[in-house]
Amino acid sequence: MTTNIATTPSQSARLLQCGVDPKTADMCWYKAKAANKEGYTWILISENYQKRRNSDEFIPAWSLSTLLSLLPKEIAIDGYAYRISIYFENPDEPVIGNQWCLYYKPKKHNEKCRIDDVPRYAPDLIECAVLMIEWLTANNYKLNQL
């Protein structure tokens, strides 16, 4: 499992394809000349993307806290309220173990979940959030405005 502090360039591209506003990015990737090599490398800088948006050398990146801020805390599915939840699946779980899960569960504890395709599983929470944003936008839910 790799440790990320922000979306990778490919995750950023997926978010942009979903219509996520690049102005919401709190970091950016900078295309820099590779040291002692031919070509370029991407370097993550913790500078708001808004300041650099007019350059092809910069692409937006989102931290985990910003991604989670974009997710609605509650959505309605078939007229029922669902709220967001996060947990880590125990490594001993034989099917999905050692992964994060980001999902919407019924707001009322005694209500049975009416949908099966809301949970998103991934080895890291940033990927989970990207997967959830993809699901939300594909299903016409609006993201929070920052």
Side-chain angles (χ1 to χ4, degrees):
M1 175 166 65
T2 60
T3 302
N4 297 333
I5 61 168
T7 54
T8 64
S10 64
Q11 288 169 327
S12 295
R14 288 166 46 204
L15 291 170
L16 293 172
Q17 286 178 340
C18 289
V20 175
D21 189 345
K23 293 177 188 174
T24 61
D26 57 337
M27 303 174 100
C28 60
W29 288 98
Y30 171 65
K31 189 176 182 180
K33 201 100 155 116
N36 300 327
K37 294 183 198 172
E38 296 287 324
Y40 292 88
T41 187
W42 288 101
I43 299 171
L44 182 67
I45 57 176
S46 60
E47 183 177 301
N48 188 308
Y49 174 71
Q50 185 67 9
K51 294 178 184 176
R52 305 284 189 164
R53 71 174 191 253
N54 294 327
S55 172
D56 290 340
E57 296 175 349
F58 293 88
I59 60 171
W62 288 264
S63 66
L64 177 60
S65 63
T66 300
L67 288 174
L68 294 176
S69 297
L70 290 171
L71 298 173
K73 305 305 177 244
E74 198 173 285
I75 61 173
I77 301 172
D78 296 332
Y80 293 92
Y82 285 71
R83 67 175 167 210
I84 196 151
S85 186
I86 301 170
Y87 74 93
F88 187 76
E89 190 69 43
N90 187 328
D92 297 330
E93 173 64 37
V95 179
I96 317 171
N98 209 28
Q99 292 194 64
W100 286 95
C101 180
L102 188 59
Y103 69 108
Y104 284 91
K105 67 179 182 178
K107 189 172 179 181
K108 293 184 180 178
H109 295 288
N110 60 350
E111 242 177 65
K112 186 179 179 194
C113 188
R114 291 173 169 73
I115 50 174
D116 292 328
D117 59 344
V118 173
R120 295 293 173 249
Y121 296 94
D124 69 83
L125 203 43
I126 288 178
E127 177 62 16
C128 249
V130 171
L131 290 170
M132 185 55 75
I133 287 171
E134 288 174 327
W135 183 87
L136 288 165
T137 57
N139 288 281
N140 299 316
Y141 289 99
K142 295 209 183 299
L143 300 176
N144 292 330
Q145 299 297 315
L146 299 182

